Amino acid sequence: MIVVFRWLLRVFTGLVVLALLATLIAYYFLSRSLPDYDESFRLDGISGPVEIVRNDANVPHLFGRTDEDVYFALGFAHAQDRLWQMVTMRRTVQGRLSEVFGERTLKIDELMRRYDLYGLAQKSVEAQDPETRAALEAYARGVNAWIGQVNADARGRGAPEFFLFSNEIAVWRPADSIALIKLMALQLSSHLQSEVLRARVSLLLPDPRVADILPDAPGEGVIALPSYASLVPGPLPALRKAEHREDPLSPFHVKALSGASNAWAAAPSRSAAGGSLLANDPHLGFTAPSIWYLARLQLSSGGVIGATMPGIPAVLLGRSNRLGWALTSAYMDDQDVHIEEVNPENHEEYRTPDGWKTFETRRSIIKVKDARPITITLRWTENGPVLPGTHYDLAAITPPGHVASLSWAALSAEDTSMSAAMRLMKAQNVDGAIEAGRLFIAPAQNLMLADVDRVAMQTVGAMPKRDAQNQSKGRMPSPGWLPENRWQGFFPYEDNPRVVAPETGILGNTNNKTVDRPFPLHVSFDWGDTQRIQRWLALMKSREVHTRESFIEAQLDTVSPTARNLLPLVAADLWFTGEAAPDGTPERLRQRALALLAEWNGEMNEHLPEPLIYMAWMRALQDRLIRDELGPLADEFEHIQPDFVERVFRDTRGAAVWCDIIQSAATESCTDIARMALDDALLKLTEDWGPNIESWRWGDAHQATHDHPALGEVPLLRYFVNIRQSTSGGDQTLMRGMTRGTGPDPYENVAGAGYRGVYDFADPDSSVFISSTGQSGHPLSRFYDNLGELWRRGEYIPMSLDPDLARAAAVGITRLEPSDTAAD
């Protein structure tokens, strides 16, 4: 027995030693891709010495002899810290993910090939102005210079992920950067989904009830439209339960996660220090690392600092010494779905106003890892690419003998959005920035501006010109062969909404409705917010003058105006009612929950139970209100529709009819439904979080999910690459923390402000900014998540253009020298 024990001990010890040895070997190879920020290089592609000074937060400050040398340095720095992220985003827009990830991403690649965004980006290179083309080429040289160093010196393949997946890295090209802007346009687009959802709902409900749940916002929920069934020839397919799986690698998000943002500005007259103020926090899906990368560029026009996106050679959100610029999603309706009739005698033709025409057709081969290649046929009509019914639930609204196509502003082969971004970065004042915005095509954005004297907001992006007789006014798919449903080009840039130097001295946007103009100059019928703007207005009106600190306070505000508005309506007949109930009964649990909510001020604080109770109640309530009318389609409404709930409980235009369960014999009141929904919510919360209601914490359920798109679901590895943090905020707070809305963890925080910046032109170097993870994309780097805890606590880092300050606490200075060949 002793001999057996000794051998077991030896085997166990050997296994432990082997495991430790394997860990050390793995760490050695993986850490080889950690860049040395104090290294020097001699490289082709630059005209003189270049310095990359990384401050104590690893924010690079880039100095060079020419602008092209600075762009080269930015490409070099991006590749050092985010090479895997850049290559993966490029593969996404090219429709080549399956070469690395196999059949998992085949549907993503198929749809990306149909859009052909990368092909359009390649054609758009020649549309850029000469200065932008030179910048793109210099940036590409910088990226490729680092790839060359990785290949020459065996620097761990450039990133740890390349050990687990394909290490093929093609050279970076100018078209790649343009393609990433188009990828951003795709991620920020939601009107296609809105049109399909509106059509599906209209097939089930009469027009007044469609207006309840999908109202024009803000304002009266009236849809002066025919039902979808009257627009297209039937019969339509039977409604079915949609199958959705939100793959972390997918750029196609549900409508609620298609992007949002906050931006506000104050003129010097409304600033305590006498200088303009500007704040910005764009809301996108969380990833590890963040989509944003902080950087400072010293250009011939002056220094600029702010948020860049790896792969794009521009500060997209930021400031110079004289101008600050911010972006919010404009929610411009720049997408239209068209139903195209296929010639029954020749399936290669479709109907147009001028008769049958042949589809433009091309075959495309998708290579799939560990599987045979897939060949797909791509088709285009005059309206745009043909999309398969397997995506966006298009099959549910496409009658037999027809296909769906998409008109979209981003499908331009002369997309000059990159040139606009480069000109904006060099603009010296509001007027110059507005003029730069003329070249923006997509994604449509509200450009918030502040210079030393004025503030302004300009909507940028191509606004489609629709016929006034358009059958659906762009709100539902329409027959593509009717001329009144087709686009007639784009409106002039001057027709885009613009406000310069408002009398009030304050401008702001939370994705709310910006203009009240009749169709077709309406901009949109669907907007991203009707709630946050109310809280912002209250905060702005509370002070005569503002400071950097008051703007920060607004960015970090976690009070839900929706909770303050809905709870008194929903619980009006439930507060402090009923007899005392014994502990352990559902009645007693309900009374305890109502007592907590009665004293709650609507603050979505991570340490409180009330936000969790409120969110669970509203979620259960909405489901009870719509499930009997919509059936499986109710699953498409994953997030609370506050305008809908308010209309029901105020009985606006008879909307209280939603409270009655039509399948039951009894007539339920809204109070009945509210009580039953609260019991549903409390039962589920008790199962998940235990019976002690006072110990529940919103932050435990509302963790920010900065997950690695490729490795975040891999057992064991996910604990090293994912960044999870307890957070405050919610779906309708200014400090937004958008919940997942579905699945076993519906309250996880999956989208929010990955970047925050506040710029003060009374003292520009007192400006501050922060990103939600860290600068490095390498999980072994101390800069992988170093900014994340500051971000969670609502803290910022200095946003200074002072080179001495950057050098004073630099973690390293990378020096690039021209090679001997370049010098000669």
Side-chain angles (χ1 to χ4, degrees):
M1 189 69 182
I2 295 176
V3 172
V4 173
F5 177 77
R6 287 175 177 171
W7 274 105
L8 288 174
L9 182 61
R10 290 168 184 168
V11 170
F12 176 76
T13 303
L15 291 174
V16 170
V17 171
L18 287 174
L20 289 173
L21 185 60
T23 300
L24 290 173
I25 293 173
Y27 180 83
Y28 170 77
F29 282 105
L30 296 177
S31 63
R32 288 279 295 164
S33 52
L34 283 169
D36 178 0
Y37 296 136
D38 265 326
E39 200 168 357
S40 297
F41 300 88
R42 299 190 71 86
L43 303 169
D44 293 327
I46 51 177
S47 64
V50 174
E51 284 190 331
I52 304 174
V53 180
R54 286 180 164 85
N55 69 11
D56 56 350
N58 197 27
V59 177
H61 291 242
L62 311 174
F63 303 93
R65 177 183 295 176
T66 66
D67 286 355
E68 286 72 22
D69 288 351
V70 173
Y71 295 129
F72 180 102
L74 181 62
F76 195 85
H78 276 168
Q80 279 186 305
D81 287 323
R82 302 287 188 90
L83 185 60
W84 168 260
Q85 185 182 44
M86 293 169 64
V87 170
T88 303
M89 288 195 298
R90 178 174 62 181
R91 281 190 177 276
T92 300
V93 74
Q94 289 174 330
R96 295 179 55 222
L97 287 172
S98 299
E99 296 176 15
V100 175
F101 300 103
E103 294 183 349
R104 164 188 172 185
T105 56
L106 186 55
K107 289 295 184 183
I108 300 172
D109 285 347
E110 177 198 350
L111 189 50
M112 291 305 305
R113 297 287 180 98
R114 295 187 188 281
Y115 280 126
D116 193 28
L117 295 182
Y118 191 76
L120 294 168
Q122 289 177 304
K123 295 176 182 177
S124 294
V125 171
E126 293 305 314
Q128 311 308 312
D129 59 48
E131 187 175 350
T132 299
R133 287 201 301 272
L136 290 170
E137 291 165 0
Y139 178 85
R141 291 197 301 271
V143 175
N144 295 330
W146 176 250
I147 295 174
Q149 292 298 313
V150 169
N151 293 333
D153 298 337
R155 296 173 183 266
R157 297 187 176 180
E161 294 89 345
F162 289 115
F163 282 100
L164 303 175
F165 303 101
S166 171
N167 63 343
E168 175 191 342
I169 307 174
V171 297
W172 197 266
R173 302 181 186 279
D176 300 345
S177 298
I178 296 173
L180 294 191
I181 290 184
K182 289 186 174 292
L183 181 63
M184 180 184 289
L186 178 68
Q187 293 169 325
L188 295 177
S189 298
S190 63
H191 283 82
L192 190 164
Q193 296 99 308
S194 295
E195 288 188 29
V196 174
L197 181 59
R198 192 181 297 276
R200 296 184 70 192
V201 171
S202 79
L203 293 172
L204 291 175
L205 301 175
D207 187 68
R209 300 289 74 86
V210 178
D212 292 335
I213 197 165
L214 292 172
D216 294 346
E220 291 294 331
V222 177
I223 302 178
L225 292 172
S227 69
Y228 180 66
S230 69
L231 292 180
V232 297
L236 288 164
L239 286 175
R240 56 180 175 78
K241 180 177 175 62
E243 297 293 333
H244 291 301
R245 184 181 183 276
E246 187 79 5
D247 192 296
L249 289 165
S250 175
F252 311 110
H253 303 301
V254 297
K255 177 179 179 292
L257 303 180
S258 59
S261 307
N262 294 325
W264 38 84
S269 61
R270 296 296 301 273
S271 167
S276 298
L277 292 165
L278 179 63
N280 189 201
D281 54 294
H283 307 159
L284 294 171
F286 289 142
T287 63
S290 166
I291 195 67
W292 302 110
Y293 182 91
L294 309 180
R296 175 264 183 84
L297 284 64
Q298 188 62 40
L299 302 173
S300 58
S301 57
V304 293
I305 187 170
T308 69
M309 180 181 291
I312 298 175
V315 174
L316 299 175
L317 318 163
R319 72 168 187 89
S320 63
N321 269 327
R322 298 187 57 82
L323 178 72
W325 56 98
L327 296 172
T328 64
S329 295
Y331 276 79
M332 180 187 289
D333 188 1
D334 60 359
Q335 292 182 315
D336 268 355
V337 178
H338 297 284
I339 302 301
E340 310 280 8
E341 182 181 357
V342 179
N343 187 349
E345 305 297 327
N346 182 356
H347 289 179
E348 299 301 316
E349 295 180 339
Y350 66 100
R351 185 184 296 278
T352 75
D354 303 316
W356 300 109
K357 287 193 176 180
T358 303
F359 287 104
E360 182 184 342
T361 304
R362 187 175 78 239
R363 291 186 179 273
S364 182
I365 299 174
I366 303 175
K367 297 179 181 178
V368 185
K369 180 185 178 184
D370 300 328
R372 298 180 61 183
I374 303 294
T375 300
I376 61 174
T377 300
L378 312 179
R379 293 192 294 176
W380 288 267
T381 71
E382 292 175 341
N383 291 316
V386 173
L387 303 181
T390 52
H391 294 277
Y392 301 110
D393 298 318
L394 286 167
I397 53 93
T398 306
H402 296 72
V403 294
S405 68
L406 177 70
S407 295
W408 180 24
L411 300 175
S412 169
E414 297 183 351
D415 190 338
T416 52
S417 301
M418 179 65 75
S419 292
M422 304 302 287
R423 292 188 184 186
L424 174 61
M425 200 168 45
K426 294 187 175 184
Q428 298 298 305
N429 52 43
V430 162
D431 293 333
I434 290 175
E435 184 59 29
R438 182 180 299 276
L439 297 179
F440 268 104
I441 303 297
Q445 299 283 290
N446 293 317
L447 178 61
M448 193 74 69
L449 300 164
D451 62 20
V452 295
D453 300 313
R454 296 179 299 168
V455 297
M457 191 182 81
Q458 167 74 54
T459 299
V460 298
M463 184 163 62
K465 182 184 292 184
R466 296 178 175 88
D467 192 298
Q469 303 304 314
N470 185 291
Q471 288 181 295
S472 74
K473 295 182 171 56
R475 286 184 280 187
M476 288 195 296
S478 59
W481 61 87
L482 297 179
E484 63 266 29
N485 295 331
R486 293 183 158 210
W487 287 4
Q488 302 169 351
F490 296 93
F491 283 105
Y493 180 58
E494 286 71 22
D495 286 335
N496 284 12
R498 176 185 302 176
V499 179
V500 179
E503 291 184 8
T504 62
I506 297 282
L507 283 172
N509 183 257
T510 60
N511 314 115
N512 56 288
K513 186 174 181 178
T514 54
V515 291
D516 188 16
R517 302 192 304 205
F519 178 86
L521 278 170
H522 65 306
V523 179
S524 179
F525 288 111
D526 292 303
W527 301 87
D529 173 53
T530 63
Q531 305 291 309
R532 301 194 317 273
I533 189 64
Q534 302 303 324
R535 179 62 180 171
W536 177 79
L537 286 169
L539 293 177
M540 293 299 106
K541 291 177 182 177
S542 66
R543 297 169 180 261
E544 183 63 31
V545 293
H546 284 272
T547 64
R548 185 192 70 171
E549 285 67 29
S550 71
F551 269 33
I552 290 174
E553 179 185 344
Q555 275 192 342
L556 303 179
D557 186 82
T558 59
V559 172
S560 171
T562 307
R564 288 184 168 187
N565 184 36
L566 292 185
L567 281 175
L569 287 173
V570 174
D573 296 327
L574 298 177
W575 300 123
F576 313 112
T577 60
E579 299 177 0
D583 285 337
T585 62
E587 292 79 8
R588 179 58 177 163
L589 187 62
R590 186 195 315 142
Q591 290 171 357
R592 290 165 62 192
L594 286 168
L596 287 173
L597 293 176
E599 301 295 326
W600 183 47
N601 68 350
E603 183 181 358
M604 304 289 286
N605 188 290
E606 61 181 297
H607 302 295
L608 298 177
E610 291 90 343
L612 183 57
I613 299 169
Y614 156 73
M615 286 294 292
W617 187 6
M618 294 302 107
R619 189 167 182 264
L621 174 63
Q622 180 168 282
D623 190 71
R624 276 192 173 267
L625 290 174
I626 69 175
R627 180 67 60 177
D628 57 326
E629 279 90 351
L630 297 183
L633 192 57
D635 294 333
E636 298 298 304
F637 294 86
E638 298 173 337
H639 293 82
I640 300 169
Q641 308 289 311
D643 297 325
F644 164 67
V645 176
E646 182 176 354
R647 286 175 63 83
V648 169
F649 278 82
R650 292 190 186 278
D651 195 19
T652 304
R653 297 182 182 269
V657 69
W658 288 86
C659 292
D660 181 36
I661 301 174
I662 56 179
Q663 285 89 354
S664 70
T667 301
E668 290 82 6
S669 69
C670 289
T671 299
D672 295 332
I673 294 297
R675 184 180 64 254
M676 289 187 286
L678 180 55
D679 289 344
D680 292 343
L682 293 174
L683 177 61
K684 184 67 171 69
L685 292 176
T686 300
E687 292 173 352
D688 292 342
W689 304 102
N692 187 1
I693 190 171
E694 286 79 9
S695 68
W696 297 345
R697 289 181 70 257
W698 173 235
D700 291 340
H702 193 243
Q703 290 197 1
T705 58
H706 291 95
D707 292 354
H708 193 289
L711 304 177
E713 296 181 349
V714 178
L716 188 60
L717 280 181
R718 67 172 182 260
Y719 296 108
F720 294 94
V721 299
N722 292 344
I723 305 170
R724 296 293 182 94
Q725 298 172 316
S726 168
T727 55
S728 299
D731 291 353
Q732 281 92 31
T733 55
L734 287 176
M735 193 180 86
R736 199 177 199 199
M738 195 71 183
T739 55
R740 188 179 300 279
T742 187
D745 301 300
Y747 309 113
E748 283 185 337
N749 181 3
V750 297
Y755 168 83
R756 298 186 188 117
V758 180
Y759 323 140
D760 184 353
F761 286 95
D763 180 11
D765 276 350
S766 70
S767 302
V768 292
F769 60 167
I770 195 71
S771 69
S772 57
T773 58
Q775 291 287 89
S776 175
H778 199 305
L780 297 180
S781 171
R782 64 190 175 103
F783 299 112
Y784 183 68
D785 61 355
N786 63 304
L787 299 180
E789 185 58 30
L790 297 176
W791 172 86
R792 191 195 76 80
R793 296 199 304 260
E795 299 179 19
Y796 298 73
I797 59 175
M799 188 187 195
S800 173
L801 288 171
D802 184 346
D804 293 333
L805 187 62
R807 295 176 187 277
V811 297
I813 300 178
T814 304
R815 294 177 172 84
L816 312 180
E817 296 282 348
S819 66
D820 293 337
T821 303
D824 293 341

